[in-house]
């Protein structure tokens, strides 16, 4: 099972040059909120929430976070090629 923690998330963003301290949308602290908001679980009683580790992104959450990164980097910032 693919799972990624917040430290690995930050390292990936750095390694891929996604963060930009001068950007309105891709500053490191704002991209940390992508991890947090994607990993948020509203209810804790479902089977999915029981197998979902609270401090790591599961595969489907990771894909969602990648889409959110794309929106932040290319749509909101107007940086789409």
């Amino acid at each position: 099972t693919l799972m990624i923690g917040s430290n690995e998330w930050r390292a990936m963003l750095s390694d891929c040059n996604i963060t930009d301290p001068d950007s309105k949308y891709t500053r490191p602290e704002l991209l940390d909120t992508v991890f947090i908001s994607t990993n948020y679980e509203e209810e804790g009683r479902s089977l999915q929430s029981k197998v979902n580790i609270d401090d790591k992104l599961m595969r489907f959450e990771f894909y969602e976070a990648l889409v959110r990164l794309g929106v932040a980097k290319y749509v909101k910032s107007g940086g789409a090629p």
Side-chain angles (χ1 to χ4, degrees):
T1 304
L2 171 74
M3 291 189 197
I4 182 172
S6 60
N7 290 335
E8 293 88 0
W9 173 256
R10 286 186 207 101
M12 181 195 74
L13 297 178
S14 177
D15 292 347
C16 295
N17 295 318
I18 295 174
T19 58
D20 180 2
D22 300 324
S23 171
K24 183 176 180 181
Y25 301 104
T26 57
R27 291 191 319 265
E29 63 273 12
L30 293 177
L31 295 181
D32 283 344
T33 64
V34 170
F35 181 93
I36 294 165
S37 61
T38 303
N39 199 32
Y40 177 74
E41 296 174 34
E42 194 167 303
E43 59 140 308
R45 294 181 301 244
S46 69
L47 177 61
Q48 180 179 346
S49 66
K50 289 180 183 176
V51 297
N52 190 349
I53 298 175
D54 289 337
D55 62 344
K56 298 192 183 293
L57 295 177
M58 293 183 69
R59 183 183 325 228
F60 70 94
E61 293 170 325
F62 178 71
Y63 294 148
E64 179 184 338
L66 290 179
V67 171
R68 290 179 185 231
L69 283 177
V71 169
K73 186 160 180 80
Y74 297 108
V75 177
K76 289 182 179 178
S77 69

